[in-house]
Amino acid sequence: MPNRDANATRKSKQPIYGMNELSELVKRQHVKMAILTVPAAAAQEVANQLIQSGITGILNFSPIVLAVSEEIMVNNVNLAIELENLSYFTQE
């Protein structure tokens, strides 16, 4: 296996934006949905920022139930359960 420098940077073809650009980007691109994949400790705060920016649908992979208003649609994905189901169906 090749030795990789821990500080090496990779170039991505997809742009990466900071949270300070979220609101402007959501408005400019007419974004309505977001995928939330942050640790539990940050999930509610990030969800609030998404909603304040104009997001109305969230696919939540974070391991908490988000507190949002009725106008916001949240679909929760529990990765532990999904992996358990996958494991069950791939057993020989």
Side-chain angles (χ1 to χ4, degrees):
M1 180 175 272
N3 185 9
R4 292 189 175 175
D5 180 4
N7 296 321
T9 59
R10 290 192 211 179
K11 301 227 179 204
S12 172
K13 292 182 182 181
Q14 297 300 318
I16 299 171
Y17 300 98
M19 288 298 286
N20 61 326
E21 301 173 272
L22 177 67
S23 186
E24 190 272 327
L25 181 67
V26 166
K27 287 178 181 66
R28 186 178 73 232
Q29 297 292 331
H30 307 288
V31 178
K32 296 295 178 194
M33 298 180 289
I35 300 171
L36 186 64
T37 60
V38 298
Q44 187 64 58
E45 180 181 342
V46 174
N48 293 346
Q49 291 175 330
L50 290 169
I51 294 164
Q52 289 170 356
S53 296
I55 295 295
T56 56
I58 299 173
L59 183 59
N60 179 27
F61 282 86
S62 298
I64 68 163
V65 175
L66 300 170
V68 300
S69 65
E70 290 182 12
E71 303 87 42
I72 306 302
M73 180 64 176
V74 176
N75 283 2
N76 295 299
V77 178
N78 185 322
L79 281 178
I81 290 174
E82 297 302 327
L83 285 170
E84 182 179 353
N85 288 340
L86 186 61
S87 176
Y88 174 79
F89 286 109
T90 58
Q91 295 297 315
E92 293 184 57

